[in-house]
Amino acid sequence: MPVTKRDDRVRVMTGNEACAEAALAAGLKFFAGYPITPSSEIAEELSTKLPASGGKFIQMEDEISAMGAIIGASLAGAKSMTATSGPGFSLKQENIGYACITEVPCVIVNVMRGGPSTGLPTMPAQSDVMQARWGTHGDHPIIVLCPQSVAETIDLTVRAFSLTEKFRIPVILLMDETVGHISEKIRLPKYEELEIYERHKPTVPPEEYLPYRHTDNDIPEMATFGSGYRFHVTGLCHDETGFPTNNPVEIEKQMLRLNRKLERYRDEIIEVETAGDEDAEIGVFAYGSTARSAKRAMLMAQEKGIKTCFLRPRTMWPFPDLEVRAMGEKVRSIIVPEMNLGQIAHEVEWAVAGQAEVIKVNKISGEPISPPEILAAIEKAVK
Amino acid sequence: MESFDYSPYLREKKFPLIWCAGCGHGIVMKAILRAIDRVGWDRDDMVMVSGIGCSSRMPGYVDFNTLHTTHGRAIPFATGVKMANPDLHVIVITGDGDATAIGGNHYIHAARRNIDLTVVLLNNSIYGMTGGQVSPTTPKGKRASTAPFGNFEASFNISGLAEAAGASFVARGTAYGAVQLSKYIEKALLKKGLSVVEAISPCPTVFGRRNAMRSPVEMYEDIHENSVSVKKAGTMTADDLEDKIITGVLTDIEKPEYTTEYKKLIATLGGSS
């Protein structure tokens, strides 16, 4: 038998462990969290690994303070992250809105479990996809990434840091319990080859610095507390100087710029995976761990001679409406399996605008959706 | 202090202040600035963090790195700033409602952790900004817009709360005794650990006028007449001390500070920050 060289980048790990590993690779320097199932392993991993790499970990007194602490740390220059699940995610919403309006980079991991309320702490669900987009009050930009596997958790965690630092928009890594707890064999990336984006800092002298300047690219430069640029940060509507304003013109200008970042950089932010037949009759749209069942179902349908295609958002928000629309123009029906009562199916319906029938396959029992369940919906649709 | 020049520390373009005539908060702000001046810290190294409420508008007026956060959450944001860069001097400005109602959990845990923050808590016994609702420190029997028949809840001893929770320095001063207050703040700034200075600050506009103290002068005199030094308080009975404001340094102890201990942990693990 030939002797194969040992690959020292091969590991078996869970999605939660992978998230912690990748966050460190992306340059995480500060983590604040609060224990909650099924995300606690991320905090546990980082409580060991962060101080060993010169970073800081703190277990705060609650979810709200963990979210506040990462915003403070980010303003002081540290790449920052917190991790939580359903009830904790609800508690963090006000401060997530603060990070949105003040444009402070940070990564929030939500390992979804069943809800509402205490719900199903140890069982999978995808019931926070709308909360991830609209959980905090007011019009705001937010980026939500949705991994389907342990390997992809590595990629998307690193990407979450790049996107938040680049665009100054908080990024939510929306995992589900299955992705968080499944153990898979993966091959770690070569960290030195990862594309890591650092925040853009001001180059003007401090007296000329405008923390919320209307730049050509809509992304103001971000100074660090303690770097000689003394500036004001507030959750009140503010003008270019960062100070509160009641001037309707200034308010609208800032709010439009804030929200415009998502539309303007849509193509750079949105990533989808597509597969299947070009001339498909039936499309399947699925995300997170459910997408793995959905892809399997597509293959099973193809074996039965049903032309099927598949679309999976790696970026959930901003919603890949153009990509979904393109699928809708092609197929007769789109099957949308999700572990909730159809939160994203409505978004798919809006995107296809009547060009294809949208068929929901939902489960909220705490069990994953199996490939045969999705296949059954495909077969029914094709009849 | 007669000729003290505040202008290097102020963002005078942001004047006039939001605070009402007769409010004690401007006096407390000046006491803080004089204390910072005596300590001699560079403005670039100072961070002032606040929550929501009248007192929490202070960071807008001072020329430091300033952070006006969400209601009750100044201490968590400040904790993040301090941990990310322990070389920064972090002052938290908060009020009785902000720190001990909605933010009560953070207040006690920061004290337990003994992280090096200086918390100046401006206690005016009322929610001023929202129009005079009852707060955790509204004295029993006093009226508020949401206690129209008089408050019948017990009020918090918020300095005592910080002491019990483990703060390494706690003092109470008043806007009437501004010189002493500034001295307590100076000690608090220099203390390595969680320090709290409770500053009793009168609110004639929404507290006084509901409680037969319309005139600011009356309110300041009331504070003065009811203030008892911590030394004198030691000779008085609990009954005599009812409704009195005990002023002075209440706690000053040495204990391990959080970010210093964390730095040691990193060194032990061979990490470098």
Side-chain angles (χ1 to χ4, degrees):
Chain A
M1 241 175 82
V3 180
T4 50
K5 193 164 169 274
R6 187 172 166 272
D7 186 339
D8 61 5
R9 286 194 286 128
V10 170
R11 298 275 192 288
V12 173
M13 59 169 72
T14 65
N16 283 347
E17 288 166 338
C19 176
E21 171 85 22
L24 288 165
L28 178 74
K29 284 289 173 227
F30 182 77
F31 180 95
Y34 186 80
I36 188 163
T37 304
S39 77
S40 298
E41 297 85 3
I42 298 172
E44 288 170 348
E45 282 289 303
L46 290 169
S47 69
T48 311
K49 290 180 176 166
L50 257 177
S53 68
K56 315 272 172 66
F57 166 91
I58 188 169
Q59 182 173 314
M60 293 297 285
E61 53 273 15
D62 57 28
E63 297 279 1
I64 298 169
S65 52
M67 188 61 218
I70 67 164
I71 299 170
S74 184
L75 280 160
K79 283 189 182 175
S80 300
M81 182 170 95
T82 186
T84 188
S85 183
F89 193 52
S90 297
L91 285 164
K92 290 184 191 300
Q93 292 298 335
E94 186 195 5
N95 281 341
I96 291 174
Y98 186 92
C100 292
I101 198 170
T102 56
E103 299 175 71
V104 174
C106 55
V107 174
I108 303 114
V109 183
N110 176 13
V111 186
M112 287 185 285
R113 65 192 229 188
S117 191
T118 310
L120 298 167
T122 60
M123 294 162 104
Q126 295 176 306
S127 53
D128 302 345
V129 284
M130 291 310 287
Q131 194 193 7
R133 178 62 190 90
W134 293 114
T136 198
H137 60 280
D139 289 293
H140 60 277
I142 198 103
I143 295 171
V144 181
L145 309 179
C146 201
Q148 65 162 357
S149 66
V150 175
E152 196 171 73
T153 299
I154 294 265
D155 297 345
L156 292 190
T157 304
V158 172
R159 189 154 193 266
F161 280 95
S162 281
L163 293 175
T164 197
E165 295 290 334
K166 182 169 190 177
F167 297 119
R168 297 187 64 180
I169 297 172
V171 175
I172 291 161
L173 185 73
L174 197 60
M175 297 165 67
D176 58 61
E177 191 274 343
T178 304
V179 173
H181 280 165
I182 197 169
S183 282
E184 294 187 288
K185 181 181 165 185
I186 59 154
R187 191 156 186 272
L188 294 176
K190 285 184 177 165
Y191 290 134
E192 61 280 6
E193 290 173 9
L194 288 177
E195 196 191 345
I196 292 171
Y197 193 93
E198 304 296 334
R199 69 183 69 161
H200 189 40
K201 292 191 176 144
T203 49
V204 295
E207 59 277 14
E208 287 170 30
Y209 176 56
L210 290 169
Y212 296 96
R213 191 165 75 89
H214 293 289
T215 54
D216 291 341
N217 66 1
D218 288 331
I219 308 160
E221 300 83 1
M222 186 172 171
T224 304
F225 276 180
S227 67
Y229 291 81
R230 295 188 304 276
F231 62 104
H232 187 61
V233 180
T234 177
L236 286 163
C237 282
H238 41 265
D239 60 18
E240 282 190 296
T241 65
F243 288 93
T245 181
N246 284 329
N247 178 335
V249 176
E250 290 299 325
I251 293 166
E252 192 165 83
K253 225 172 137 188
Q254 282 291 340
M255 289 303 290
L256 289 177
R257 178 186 61 73
L258 188 71
N259 287 285
R260 191 165 59 226
K261 290 193 286 186
L262 270 192
E263 299 155 33
R264 182 168 177 166
Y265 297 104
R266 176 212 185 273
D267 290 345
E268 193 177 336
I269 297 167
I270 290 177
E271 278 185 355
V272 298
E273 182 203 339
T274 54
D277 300 311
E278 269 304 311
D279 53 348
E281 266 185 282
I282 306 292
V284 182
F285 179 93
Y287 55 92
S289 63
T290 303
R292 299 171 74 165
S293 289
K295 199 169 191 183
R296 180 77 213 147
M298 178 196 76
L299 297 171
M300 291 158 83
Q302 286 173 328
E303 277 169 23
K304 292 183 175 231
I306 306 169
K307 298 275 190 189
T308 315
C309 65
F310 171 81
L311 176 59
R312 178 175 72 87
R314 279 157 58 95
T315 308
M316 179 64 79
W317 301 106
F319 190 70
D321 54 348
L322 300 180
E323 292 76 0
V324 172
R325 190 163 303 150
M327 185 195 233
E329 284 164 4
K330 197 164 70 178
V331 302
R332 197 166 75 195
S333 305
I334 300 177
I335 315 290
V336 187
E338 45 185 337
M339 289 187 278
N340 59 46
L341 288 178
Q343 294 185 20
I344 283 297
H346 291 299
E347 209 67 25
V348 174
E349 275 178 341
W350 163 77
V352 300
Q355 294 191 79
E357 178 194 20
V358 175
I359 298 165
K360 298 194 276 185
V361 177
N362 305 120
K363 212 168 189 183
I364 52 164
S365 59
E367 289 177 302
I369 302 174
S370 68
E373 287 171 278
I374 300 167
L375 177 65
I378 296 172
E379 289 183 303
K380 198 175 162 197
V382 88
K383 269 176 193 154
Chain B
M1 76 167 257
E2 303 78 39
S3 62
F4 186 86
D5 180 13
Y6 294 94
S7 57
Y9 295 102
L10 291 172
R11 291 163 169 158
E12 288 173 328
K13 273 198 269 183
K14 297 295 152 194
F15 283 21
L17 305 170
I18 200 171
W19 300 320
C20 308
C23 171
H25 290 4
I27 297 170
V28 178
M29 180 170 78
K30 288 166 78 176
I32 293 170
L33 296 179
R34 292 195 303 276
I36 289 169
D37 190 72
R38 288 193 299 276
V39 171
W41 285 336
D42 193 312
R43 288 175 301 164
D44 286 339
D45 301 331
M46 303 285 311
V47 184
M48 189 181 271
V49 187
S50 69
I52 295 291
C54 294
S55 54
S56 289
R57 287 303 187 92
M58 191 187 295
Y61 304 122
V62 296
D63 192 10
F64 305 130
N65 304 282
T66 53
L67 180 55
H68 177 219
T69 72
T70 48
H71 196 17
R73 319 303 171 198
I75 288 174
F77 280 71
T79 298
V81 171
K82 185 70 186 177
M83 281 190 79
N85 184 356
D87 293 336
L88 295 171
H89 305 296
V90 185
I91 300 178
V92 173
I93 301 296
T94 180
D96 41 299
D98 195 51
T100 66
I102 192 166
N105 202 23
H106 316 309
Y107 183 70
I108 56 176
H109 285 279
R112 175 182 63 81
R113 227 170 249 136
N114 199 38
I115 185 165
D116 186 24
L117 307 173
T118 303
V119 180
V120 180
L121 199 166
L122 291 85
N123 180 2
N124 59 5
S125 306
I126 202 83
Y127 285 83
M129 185 157 276
T130 44
Q133 294 78 18
V134 69
S135 99
T137 64
T138 304
K140 235 179 181 166
K142 296 293 183 191
R143 288 176 198 276
S145 69
T146 50
F149 311 110
N151 177 28
F152 48 79
E153 293 184 15
S155 79
F156 253 145
N157 169 357
I158 54 185
S159 282
L161 187 60
E163 289 182 84
S168 57
F169 181 91
V170 181
R172 187 187 289 113
T174 71
Y176 183 94
V179 175
Q180 292 93 324
L181 176 66
S182 187
K183 285 178 184 159
Y184 305 148
I185 294 168
E186 181 182 346
K187 283 182 201 260
L189 291 171
L190 293 169
K191 188 73 188 185
K192 196 89 182 138
L194 194 281
S195 47
V196 171
V197 178
E198 180 184 353
I200 307 293
S201 176
C203 174
T205 303
V206 299
F207 182 85
R209 76 186 160 99
R210 282 195 181 82
N211 289 287
M213 282 185 290
R214 247 170 213 286
S215 138
V217 177
E218 252 178 275
M219 287 202 81
Y220 284 87
E221 277 174 355
D222 188 66
I223 288 172
H224 177 53
E225 280 159 21
N226 285 309
S227 294
V228 174
S229 74
V230 75
K231 200 172 160 195
K232 192 177 169 200
T235 67
M236 292 167 70
T237 66
D239 279 351
D240 290 339
L241 285 171
E242 179 100 28
D243 302 331
K244 295 285 184 237
I245 302 163
I246 302 171
T247 61
V249 175
L250 307 171
T251 287
D252 187 358
I253 50 175
E254 296 301 323
K255 54 198 290 192
E257 189 274 323
Y258 188 82
T259 60
T260 314
E261 294 303 300
Y262 208 98
K263 212 171 182 175
K264 285 184 201 163
L265 171 69
I266 291 173
T268 311
L269 296 170
S272 59
S273 46

